[in-house]
Amino acid sequence: MITVKNLTYEIDQQVVLNDINFTIAEGDFAAVIGPNGSGKSTLLKCLLGMNAKYQGSIEYDGLSLTDFLKKEKVGYVAQHSLRYNNSIPVSVQEVIATGCDNLRGNQETITLALGKVGLEGFEKKRLSELSGGQQQRVFIARALAMHPKLLILDEPTVGIDQGRVKEFYELMMRLHREGMTIILVSHDVHLMNTEITKVIAINQGVAFNGNFEEYRRYHANYCECGEV
């Protein structure tokens, strides 16, 4: 599905990503990991066409990034989705409608998207009335309302109560089992190891690229932060 070749990205002559190469197949659940400042979020923005001035190539299904994005939708949940201004009296369905082709939204699409994230019947509630975990589910529902071929999430558990993090990953695993291709930046790779099909460790370059069991061995041999 995605082929990244020799991707390099610089900001103010500072190399943020250096000669990145990997592939992600349709149906993969890929975890992108790495220390703060390693270039993870920059990589996602390149994959989304938000950072256009990169060197190298990004292809989706054999198409250039630009041609693919003209044809297909990619769902994106940003790192700071939960920094929503709760003083704005917006309803759940109004938030999700912004992910629909028609900004007023299609009620059936909204209802189905809420059902996928376990928030049936929440259409009329104000977003500000929901918990952090529920708000994050609403933003995921907005992404799903686009009928995306791919779902990309950047540090989606930041700001969610730790007691709800496991529930979030259970949702991700269910979406994956339903056939969604997912790319997820996270520090919580150990919480979802039964579903991950690929781990990509970034630190300007690719430090590791393989399946979860291979990552466990890599982590045990080269990391000093404890067992995964």
Side-chain angles (χ1 to χ4, degrees):
M1 182 177 190
I2 303 174
T3 302
V4 176
K5 293 182 179 178
N6 309 121
L7 176 65
T8 297
Y9 186 80
E10 299 182 6
I11 300 176
D12 298 328
Q13 299 183 326
Q14 178 79 28
V15 176
V16 180
L17 298 172
N18 183 35
D19 196 28
I20 302 289
N21 293 271
F22 63 84
T23 60
I24 293 175
E26 187 167 352
D28 265 341
F29 189 158
V32 178
I33 63 174
N36 292 334
S38 61
K40 303 184 300 296
S41 295
T42 300
L43 172 61
L44 294 194
K45 289 179 180 178
C46 288
L47 296 179
L48 290 160
M50 298 166 67
N51 288 337
K53 295 182 179 179
Y54 57 80
Q55 301 174 41
S57 67
I58 300 172
E59 292 185 353
Y60 284 75
D61 294 337
L63 299 173
S64 70
L65 174 61
T66 300
D67 288 343
F68 178 84
L69 293 178
K70 288 178 181 177
K71 177 184 176 184
E72 300 284 355
K73 299 289 180 64
V74 176
Y76 176 53
V77 179
Q79 182 175 3
H80 301 302
S81 294
L82 293 182
R83 291 184 181 177
Y84 165 78
N85 185 346
N86 281 325
S87 67
I88 301 174
V90 63
S91 71
V92 166
Q93 67 179 8
E94 287 171 335
V95 172
I96 298 174
T98 64
C100 299
D101 290 331
N102 177 349
L103 284 179
R104 296 185 67 179
N106 175 290
Q107 192 59 50
E108 182 179 0
T109 297
I110 292 170
T111 300
L112 286 172
L114 282 172
K116 283 182 177 292
V117 301
L119 292 178
E120 300 92 338
F122 277 59
E123 290 89 342
K124 302 296 185 181
K125 288 185 176 291
R126 286 192 178 186
L127 190 65
S128 59
E129 296 174 345
L130 307 186
S131 68
Q134 288 173 330
Q135 287 187 8
Q136 190 66 296
R137 285 174 181 253
V138 171
F139 290 115
I140 294 168
R142 179 178 65 178
L144 295 176
M146 300 171 60
H147 304 294
K149 191 166 186 179
L150 169 69
L151 181 62
I152 295 179
L153 306 99
D154 189 1
E155 301 273 14
T157 58
V158 172
I160 296 179
D161 181 270
Q162 284 301 307
R164 300 295 182 185
V165 170
K166 184 177 179 181
E167 291 180 8
F168 168 81
Y169 284 119
E170 288 172 351
L171 168 61
M172 289 297 101
M173 289 185 281
R174 179 162 53 79
L175 291 174
H176 176 241
R177 291 174 196 142
E178 292 172 356
M180 180 67 67
T181 304
I182 299 173
I183 301 175
L184 174 65
V185 167
S186 178
H187 294 289
D188 302 316
V189 64
H190 61 288
L191 292 179
M192 49 179 176
N193 58 53
T194 58
E195 296 287 330
I196 290 174
T197 59
K198 181 178 286 287
V199 178
I200 301 170
I202 299 292
N203 197 353
Q204 290 191 334
V206 175
F208 174 84
N209 179 9
N211 63 40
F212 185 79
E213 286 306 315
E214 291 168 339
Y215 175 70
R216 283 176 63 95
R217 293 193 291 271
Y218 164 82
H219 189 277
N221 289 332
Y222 296 104
C223 299
E224 298 179 356
C225 48
E227 184 177 352
V228 177

